Amino acid sequence: MLSSTDFASASWELIVRVDRPNEEEQKDVTLRVAGDLHVGGLMLKLVEQINISQDWSDFALWWEQKHCWLLKTHWTLDKYGVQADAKLLFTPQHKMLRLRLPNVKTVRLRVSFSAVVFKAVSDICKILNIRRSEELSLLKPSGDYFKKKKKKDKTNKEPIIEDILNLEGSPTTSGPPVSPGLYSKTMTPTYDPINGTLASSTMTWFSDSPLTEQNCSILAFSQPPQSPEALADMYQPRSLVDKAKLNAGWLDSSRSLMEQDIQEDEQLLLRFKYYTFFDLNPKYDAVRINQLYEQARWAILLEEIDCTEEEMMIFAALQYHISKLSLSAETQDFTHESEVDEVEAALSNLEVTLEGGKMDDTLEDITDIPQLADNLKLFRPKKLILKAFKQYWFIFKDTSITYFKNKELEQGEPVEKLNLRGCEVVPDVNVAGRKFGIKLLIPVADGMNEVYLRCDHENQYAQWMAACILASKGKTMADSSYQPEVLNILSFLRMKNRNSASQVASNIETMDTNPECFVSPRYAKKHKSKQLAARILEAHQNVAQMPLVEAKLRFIQAWQSLPEFGLTYYLVRFKGSKKDDILGVSYNRLIRIDATTGIPVTTWRFTNMKQWNVNWEIRQVAIEFDQNVFIAFTCLSADCKIVHEYIGGYIFLSTRSKDQNETLDEDLFHKLTGGQD
């Protein structure tokens, strides 16, 4: 038995600060504790001493010096290493956070500051009704991001910054989780395909979500276009180095918000981080498709991704069309009940899903791989030589192109064989000028081999371009995605096709929105307003009949077809190099880019990657590829953990399949992205 003096020597006084949300000041509470007291017992003692009746279930202990939560309530103070000098804070785990969504709307909601960011984002997406939360993450914007906007705030010209959708009453995950009905294949809200709004008969399935029908529509509708002045005042990256700075602020998915010094009511950006959008379905994804469209729209308007003038006019025409439909849809009355019974709709959808699954298998089962054979023109850039294309007879088989001087010689030795697996495929198209080119950057031992192909017409271009895109991913034309890819390219080319200008001229006056709102400031300065309106209306004739959701999907597809799509840039220094380079990270490859010229130097595919790791002491990422290729680099524009997580995240997303019934292997995500910090 211990005497009272022995007990006194084994215990000590611990000061805990209590964070009371409704009180102005925090209160210090002194407790006498022993090392064998577990954290749960400490919290019980604390609540007894405070002696205020309220719900304490969301409170937990935060250790300020160690920058960590004491969430394992069965661990003792000794096991955690807590001693008398520890500064502990008893605080709610869920706190308010302001999130700027891709559509520049801010939502204010309660978020877990103790769960890892991967889990917190999953909970946020459930509240906002966005499926596939693994594609999104939280970005802490750099100082430049809001700098220009603050000047605008003084003159109150931009109220959109203060346009906050308050979801303070959103359910936290401390209680039962949000109803799985929102996410199951069968019991998911359906949307009107014409205007993209929620069918009101399915609103009952939102019973656990704080989003009312009105709020859901707000997130599923695109915002009105910004004025050209507001657009010009937004932060625009001018170089690849500027673009690299934008990606420095991604939060670590394996640590909590509190551990990353995020303050209560701070503003963060919720963004699609990984550019691989799985199972985009207009029936379930009205909010997700709209937010994705908005992210693509801002990337185009702020020139975060480059596009040609011809492409810019297509994007402008689609925006104009979407803006018109959104305004007319918002003025309609959506109170009419859908006649289709929910269960009936769910069953018919299940039937379509099951049938769709069968169809894919038969397409995959083609044993005879198709091939292409045709006359194309080829050009290889050499210094001091003008661009001169020469005609050859080309055969595309499996994942490689072989070409001969003419058709009669195809049984003999080819001029050259180009293996396209792992190459970069860049469109080189000007529809108005009848130019249909394909630029191939083929990896070789000392960098990239550059080859230009020229097709005669749209159909030939679409077939060869689709084959090149698939071959670069290691797929042949037997793959079920070949025909959809051809049709996708053709539809994009048709949108670029100009119609007669006679009808357009009479419509210029009817364009009720400033045409400069739909193009980036650079193109707005380049053309007069009437000239710009004529170009946009001309392109609009090709898309004028599209329903709203289809127009948004078409915009997303056009964005995905841009050469730079899906590249996230970082400023790095490769081992053994004396100058800085840009590293481009994509869903299937890494690209080394010359920082001054912006030209790709080397590409490495993830499929050829054997292993990658980080030396945390010198903050260096090292990667080993097939054929004894090793690369190592330090990251200069961001923490190396961010780049490491990007690579692991893309590899994790490539493991998703429709058979998984939408459940994610969170442990695998952390295994691939966490590193050994």
Side-chain angles (χ1 to χ4, degrees):
M1 292 288 289
L2 284 171
S3 66
S4 57
T5 52
D6 288 335
F7 177 75
S9 63
S11 65
W12 71 89
E13 282 193 343
L14 183 66
I15 298 170
V16 180
R17 186 169 295 158
V18 179
D19 184 6
R20 299 276 313 283
N22 301 326
E23 302 290 326
E24 286 279 322
E25 287 186 11
Q26 295 172 331
K27 182 183 173 187
D28 284 349
V29 176
T30 306
L31 299 167
R32 179 156 285 279
V33 298
D36 59 358
L37 179 68
H38 53 75
V39 170
L42 173 62
M43 295 199 307
L44 192 64
K45 261 189 163 190
L46 194 58
V47 170
E48 283 171 357
Q49 191 151 328
I50 296 166
N51 198 22
I52 295 170
S53 66
Q54 70 169 69
D55 182 4
W56 296 97
S57 61
D58 191 42
F59 278 67
L61 290 164
W62 167 256
W63 189 354
E64 287 181 23
Q65 296 107 313
K66 289 283 176 78
H67 224 62
C68 70
W69 288 93
L70 308 184
L71 296 176
K72 295 185 172 117
T73 50
H74 58 286
W75 277 27
T76 62
L77 298 182
D78 278 347
K79 191 166 183 179
Y80 263 121
V82 174
Q83 294 177 341
D85 62 344
K87 289 181 182 173
L88 299 184
L89 177 68
F90 192 49
T91 184
Q93 296 174 64
H94 288 79
K95 302 174 190 289
M96 295 308 291
L97 196 64
R98 284 178 301 137
L99 295 177
R100 174 77 72 86
L101 303 184
N103 68 342
V104 201
K105 191 152 192 77
T106 301
V107 294
R108 192 166 175 270
L109 70 174
R110 202 169 290 284
V111 176
S112 172
F113 273 58
S114 61
V116 296
V117 165
F118 186 83
K119 180 76 175 68
V121 170
S122 173
D123 293 340
I124 289 164
C125 287
K126 278 179 184 168
I127 292 166
L128 301 180
N129 193 30
I130 298 173
R131 291 194 314 149
R132 308 289 173 200
S133 64
E134 67 277 9
E135 294 167 3
L136 297 95
S137 193
L138 298 174
L139 180 68
K140 187 172 183 175
S142 64
D144 293 338
Y145 191 84
F146 292 119
K147 198 186 282 175
K148 288 187 177 180
K149 289 181 182 291
K150 282 177 182 168
K151 291 177 191 169
K152 296 295 287 182
D153 284 347
K154 290 173 189 170
T155 55
N156 289 325
K157 279 188 185 169
E158 207 178 344
I160 199 160
I161 303 300
E162 300 305 320
D163 184 12
I164 294 177
L165 174 60
N166 204 330
L167 303 179
E168 193 165 353
S170 60
T172 63
T173 47
S174 53
V178 175
S179 161
L182 278 170
Y183 297 94
S184 68
K185 276 277 185 200
T186 53
M187 293 297 280
T188 310
T190 52
Y191 297 88
D192 187 316
I194 306 301
N195 53 45
T197 54
L198 190 71
S200 52
S201 64
T202 62
M203 210 51 235
T204 50
W205 298 346
F206 274 79
S207 53
D208 289 331
S209 173
L211 281 170
T212 61
E213 188 170 352
Q214 176 211 354
N215 287 343
C216 186
S217 295
I218 287 169
L219 299 187
F221 269 119
S222 56
Q223 296 294 95
Q226 289 278 50
S227 69
E229 297 77 31
L231 201 56
D233 273 342
M234 287 185 161
Y235 177 72
Q236 275 184 273
R238 297 288 172 203
S239 64
L240 284 177
V241 175
D242 282 351
K243 290 176 187 178
K245 283 179 192 167
L246 288 175
N247 297 306
W250 287 110
L251 295 188
D252 187 336
S253 297
S254 308
R255 292 161 66 215
S256 69
L257 291 170
M258 198 93 155
E259 288 171 281
Q260 298 179 70
D261 297 318
I262 303 301
Q263 305 300 312
E264 185 167 7
D265 223 27
E266 189 171 333
Q267 185 160 25
L268 298 176
L269 310 179
L270 179 69
R271 289 287 182 272
F272 288 88
K273 177 179 180 179
Y274 298 104
Y275 293 92
T276 166
F277 315 122
F278 190 69
D279 186 28
L280 263 185
N281 190 326
K283 198 168 182 183
Y284 314 123
D285 288 325
V287 176
R288 182 177 170 218
I289 287 169
N290 183 56
Q291 297 300 330
L292 196 48
Y293 156 70
E294 289 283 349
Q295 186 160 325
R297 184 167 84 92
W298 286 109
I300 301 286
L301 290 175
L302 299 178
E303 294 188 7
E304 288 170 20
I305 184 167
D306 288 337
C307 66
T308 64
E309 190 168 323
E310 194 175 41
E311 286 160 346
M312 181 63 81
M313 294 310 149
I314 290 167
F315 286 122
L318 282 165
Q319 283 179 74
Y320 173 59
H321 185 60
I322 290 162
S323 171
K324 271 176 65 173
L325 289 183
S326 298
L327 284 169
S328 61
E330 278 179 329
T331 56
Q332 290 171 18
D333 179 22
F334 298 120
T335 54
H336 64 275
E337 283 293 314
S338 171
E339 289 173 18
V340 184
D341 178 67
E342 296 116 20
V343 179
E344 207 176 297
L347 287 169
S348 65
N349 174 53
L350 181 64
E351 201 178 309
V352 170
T353 308
L354 293 172
E355 282 172 9
K358 287 176 200 162
M359 205 168 67
D360 284 351
D361 295 338
T362 55
L363 284 166
E364 290 294 337
D365 201 30
I366 298 171
T367 48
D368 183 27
I369 295 171
Q371 66 178 46
L372 292 171
D374 214 336
N375 283 310
L376 301 178
K377 295 185 180 76
L378 176 133
F379 160 72
R380 284 181 173 284
K382 292 188 177 72
K383 283 178 185 173
L384 306 173
I385 293 178
L386 291 169
K387 226 175 196 182
F389 281 89
K390 203 172 172 187
Q391 187 163 299
Y392 294 97
W393 177 254
F394 283 80
I395 294 174
F396 200 132
K397 193 167 184 186
D398 294 331
T399 58
S400 54
I401 291 176
T402 316
Y403 65 95
F404 306 84
K405 281 195 170 176
N406 53 49
K407 188 178 179 180
E408 288 69 39
L409 297 172
E410 73 172 88
Q411 299 306 322
E413 193 66 30
V415 177
E416 192 180 12
K417 185 175 181 178
L418 307 170
N419 186 2
L420 302 194
R421 196 183 281 261
C423 77
E424 295 293 305
V425 184
V426 183
D428 182 24
V429 175
N430 183 332
V431 177
R434 307 301 295 159
K435 171 184 158 190
F436 302 101
I438 302 169
K439 179 180 169 185
L440 300 172
L441 295 163
I442 301 163
V444 288
D446 57 345
M448 302 290 267
N449 192 350
E450 203 171 325
V451 178
Y452 286 81
L453 302 181
R454 181 68 63 83
C455 302
D456 294 329
H457 50 80
E458 286 103 327
N459 289 342
Q460 189 186 49
Y461 168 78
Q463 289 175 335
W464 285 80
M465 184 67 179
C468 290
I469 290 168
L470 262 67
S472 73
K473 299 173 186 173
K475 295 177 180 178
T476 69
M477 284 177 277
D479 192 87
S480 60
S481 62
Y482 175 66
Q483 280 307 327
E485 188 69 50
V486 172
L487 294 171
N488 212 8
I489 294 166
L490 279 171
S491 71
F492 191 41
L493 291 177
R494 283 187 194 116
M495 281 199 290
K496 288 184 174 184
N497 233 331
R498 291 196 183 180
N499 291 343
S500 63
S502 56
Q503 190 188 340
V504 173
S506 61
N507 289 346
I508 290 177
E509 303 306 322
T510 63
M511 192 171 183
D512 49 1
T513 319
N514 194 333
E516 284 91 346
C517 301
F518 303 115
V519 295
S520 67
R522 182 159 59 100
Y523 287 111
K525 284 175 196 163
K526 196 174 172 184
H527 299 286
K528 288 179 180 165
S529 191
K530 274 194 173 181
Q531 195 183 4
L532 205 54
R535 294 278 303 274
I536 292 170
L537 288 169
E538 198 174 14
H540 179 247
Q541 286 180 288
N542 293 322
V543 300
Q545 302 309 313
M546 277 185 197
L548 180 58
V549 179
E550 191 191 324
K552 287 178 185 176
L553 285 170
R554 193 53 61 89
F555 192 100
I556 293 163
Q557 285 171 350
W559 174 48
Q560 286 174 302
S561 71
L562 294 176
E564 289 181 13
F565 168 76
L567 281 174
T568 307
Y569 301 103
Y570 291 97
L571 189 65
V572 299
R573 174 71 65 89
F574 278 90
K575 191 176 179 181
S577 174
K578 290 182 179 174
K579 67 183 184 71
D580 300 343
D581 283 294
I582 297 285
L583 181 75
V585 184
S586 181
Y587 73 96
N588 59 358
R589 68 206 188 281
L590 299 174
I591 307 173
R592 182 177 182 170
I593 302 166
D594 188 297
T596 48
T597 63
I599 295 169
V601 180
T602 319
T603 297
W604 302 279
R605 310 292 289 195
F606 290 159
T607 47
N608 300 333
M609 192 189 288
K610 281 187 171 177
Q611 62 170 354
W612 81 102
N613 54 61
V614 181
N615 182 330
W616 295 107
E617 283 180 26
I618 57 171
R619 317 299 284 180
Q620 186 182 71
V621 181
I623 308 173
E624 182 188 347
F625 295 94
D626 292 342
Q627 298 172 329
N628 296 322
V629 175
F630 295 89
I631 62 166
F633 56 84
T634 48
C635 196
L636 309 175
S637 63
D639 192 291
C640 66
K641 169 68 171 74
I642 294 176
V643 182
H644 171 76
E645 187 177 303
Y646 245 115
I647 296 168
Y650 272 128
I651 290 168
F652 168 74
L653 293 185
S654 70
T655 65
R656 294 183 297 180
S657 73
K658 289 198 176 182
D659 306 334
Q660 290 176 339
N661 197 22
E662 304 195 12
T663 51
L664 280 176
D665 187 346
E666 199 176 325
D667 291 340
L668 177 64
F669 175 84
H670 291 301
K671 194 175 175 183
L672 288 168
T673 62
Q676 303 301 314
D677 222 346

